[in-house]
Amino acid sequence: MPTASLPANAGTTPGPHHVAIIMDGNGRWAKARGLPRVAGHRRGADAVRRVIRGAAELGIPVLTLFAFSTENWTRPEAEVSDLMGLLRHYLRHELDELARNGARLRVIGDRDRLASDIVRDIVEAETRTRSNTRIDVNICINYGARDEILRAARSLARKVAAGQIEADQIDERQFERELLTAGVPDPDLLIRTSGEQRISNFLLWQCAYAELVFVDTLWPDFEKGHLEEAVAEFRRRERRYGGVGS
């Protein structure tokens, strides 16, 4: 597809500095072609590779991808098994590609429900990519924003009960340290593919001021050019953070 121009805002750092993507449409991509849903997920994994490479080439410092939500466990058992198999394959076979893109991998989500071998693969992948500095790639697996916020609230409540902190000391910064994304800057651009226009329990706290861009393209067909178009749209917008525009 044609490459979009990327007009910069008046500021010296137009961004975005952190792009988060809800990767939607794998199942519909497969259904439209008479293929099983897992075929769509496999093609979606190819799109992940393209977008990581494209984001690194565009100089985006942080990329976060929503791969598997806490609600996805309700899908048919065979589909969940296929998704876990693809996750194993990705963690074991994409490290060289991540290294070529200078990508440091971090997996965000509740690991307690994941199989022990997947958890080992996650730790190994994070360790082996730790020294890469071109782009941080966060993959959200078994992640749900409401669950994350509840866990943070419970953790702070326990600390108050134990006398470690005072309730009045809890501010946004203190709360953010309890989130699974602690240490990760908030997204300034959130993209969702497939034409759906909702954020589906993804980074609810962190995306408070993110610009939202909804793309009709199904995730398996998402290319670097689509990412460039979303970035161009981001740069055309005036970000006021609740203030008055120029």
Side-chain angles (χ1 to χ4, degrees), residues 147-164:
D147 178 70
E148 175 188 36
I149 290 169
L150 286 172
R151 286 170 178 265
R154 293 186 192 114
S155 176
L156 287 170
R158 286 192 292 268
K159 290 180 179 179
V160 170
Q164 297 174 3

Side-chain angles (χ1 to χ4, degrees), residues 143 145 148-149 171-173 175-176 179 181 186-187 202-209:
Y143 172 86
E148 175 188 36
I149 290 169
D171 57 12
E172 289 188 11
R173 184 171 297 181
F175 192 84
E176 287 168 354
L179 296 174
T181 55
D186 288 345
F202 181 50
L203 299 178
L204 297 179
W205 175 281
Q206 298 86 342
C207 283
Y209 287 102

Side-chain angles (χ1 to χ4, degrees), residues 11-201:
T12 57
T13 56
H17 306 289
H18 180 178
V19 175
I21 304 179
I22 300 174
M23 306 180 292
D24 193 19
N26 291 345
R28 275 169 283 171
W29 184 93
K31 182 178 179 180
R33 291 160 177 77
L35 300 172
R37 288 177 64 87
V38 68
H41 295 311
R42 287 173 181 155
R43 286 295 295 267
D46 294 337
V48 168
R49 188 180 302 113
R50 291 195 301 269
V51 167
I52 291 174
R53 185 185 309 120
E57 292 170 352
L58 291 172
I60 295 169
V62 184
L63 176 69
T64 298
L65 304 174
F66 199 11
F68 190 89
S69 75
T70 50
E71 292 79 18
N72 286 155
W73 295 106
T74 63
R75 292 187 177 188
E77 185 177 348
E79 182 176 353
V80 172
S81 178
D82 287 336
L83 285 167
M84 291 298 114
L86 283 171
L87 175 58
R88 288 183 174 92
H89 184 274
Y90 186 88
L91 291 169
R92 295 171 186 176
H93 296 93
E94 289 295 314
L95 297 185
D96 289 341
E97 175 70 10
L98 289 170
R100 281 191 289 271
N101 291 308
R104 176 170 56 186
L105 181 69
R106 175 176 175 176
V107 173
I108 295 172
D110 178 14
R111 302 182 186 186
D112 292 344
R113 195 168 177 180
L114 300 177
S116 58
D117 66 306
I118 291 179
V119 175
R120 287 195 301 270
D121 290 341
I122 289 172
V123 173
E124 172 69 13
E126 290 179 330
T127 300
R128 286 183 55 186
T129 62
R130 188 171 294 160
S131 61
N132 299 335
T133 59
R134 187 181 185 192
I135 182 172
D136 286 348
V137 176
N138 307 304
I139 302 199
C140 294
I141 298 168
N142 196 28
Y143 172 86
R146 287 185 173 182
D147 178 70
E148 175 188 36
I149 290 169
L150 286 172
R151 286 170 178 265
R154 293 186 192 114
S155 176
L156 287 170
R158 286 192 292 268
K159 290 180 179 179
V160 170
Q164 297 174 3
I165 58 173
E166 297 291 332
D168 290 342
Q169 293 177 316
I170 300 173
D171 57 12
E172 289 188 11
R173 184 171 297 181
Q174 179 83 26
F175 192 84
E176 287 168 354
R177 284 198 287 264
E178 301 293 333
L179 296 174
L180 295 170
T181 55
V184 178
D186 288 345
D188 39 11
L189 171 61
L190 172 63
I191 302 168
R192 182 175 185 139
T193 60
S194 86
E196 301 294 343
Q197 298 188 13
R198 56 182 179 272
I199 57 176
S200 297
N201 199 23

